[in-house]
Amino acid sequence: MAASPRRRSRRLAIAAAVAAAGLTLGLTTGCDAVSKALDCVQTAEAVADSVTDLQQAVENASNDPTQIDEALASIDQNLDEIGDKTDNADVNKAVDDLNTAVNNVRTAVKNGDQTPDLSPITDAAGELTKVCTP
């Protein structure tokens, strides 16, 4: 005996609800991943901008030595943001490497180096950009 039209529509409604719930969960999870990736890319771009500012600050250190500290603080702030938004091991390693490079430059400047080597910072920022690119 065939199922009544009422039972059939009820089964279809339940099946549709289950499918919609699964689709919503999949899209939410996918969107979270995309959102995190975009946050990572945007923050990596902000770090790159801060690194450029740091390079200019080092070039102009004789005019305004506080620019170096401001640029380093900007990088620190961006790294804090990206560290809070990701649980990706590669991103976290790149953030740690960049933090180490920033601290080394900060120490060099405090010790009187007016033209510290920025290549470790630019290398680490490049790695961060690479691991953040989807």
Side-chain angles (χ1 to χ4, degrees):
M1 178 195 266
S4 72
R6 184 175 251 176
R7 273 194 189 161
R8 195 172 328 156
S9 66
R10 190 175 191 188
R11 285 182 185 165
L12 286 173
I14 290 171
V18 169
L23 181 60
T24 301
L25 179 61
L27 289 175
T28 302
T29 304
C31 288
D32 284 348
V34 169
S35 177
K36 284 184 179 184
L38 287 174
D39 287 343
C40 187
V41 168
Q42 289 168 345
T43 305
E45 286 176 1
V47 168
D49 290 344
S50 296
V51 170
T52 300
D53 292 345
L54 176 61
Q55 291 169 328
Q56 290 173 349
V58 167
E59 290 173 13
N60 299 324
S62 60
N63 297 334
D64 185 4
T66 62
Q67 285 182 355
I68 294 174
D69 288 332
E70 290 170 9
L72 291 171
S74 177
I75 294 171
D76 284 337
Q77 180 182 358
N78 290 323
L79 292 177
D80 288 345
E81 285 179 28
I82 199 169
D84 293 342
K85 293 179 180 178
T86 186
D87 56 0
N88 181 295
D90 292 334
V91 172
N92 286 329
K93 182 178 179 336
V95 167
D96 290 344
D97 291 347
L98 192 47
N99 271 323
T100 298
V102 166
N103 289 333
N104 290 341
V105 168
R106 185 174 280 120
T107 299
V109 170
K110 284 182 182 178
N111 291 335
D113 188 350
Q114 294 286 326
T115 57
D117 180 15
L118 300 181
S119 61
I121 288 179
T122 57
D123 292 346
E127 183 62 23
L128 178 62
T129 300
K130 185 172 99 178
V131 298
C132 280
T133 303

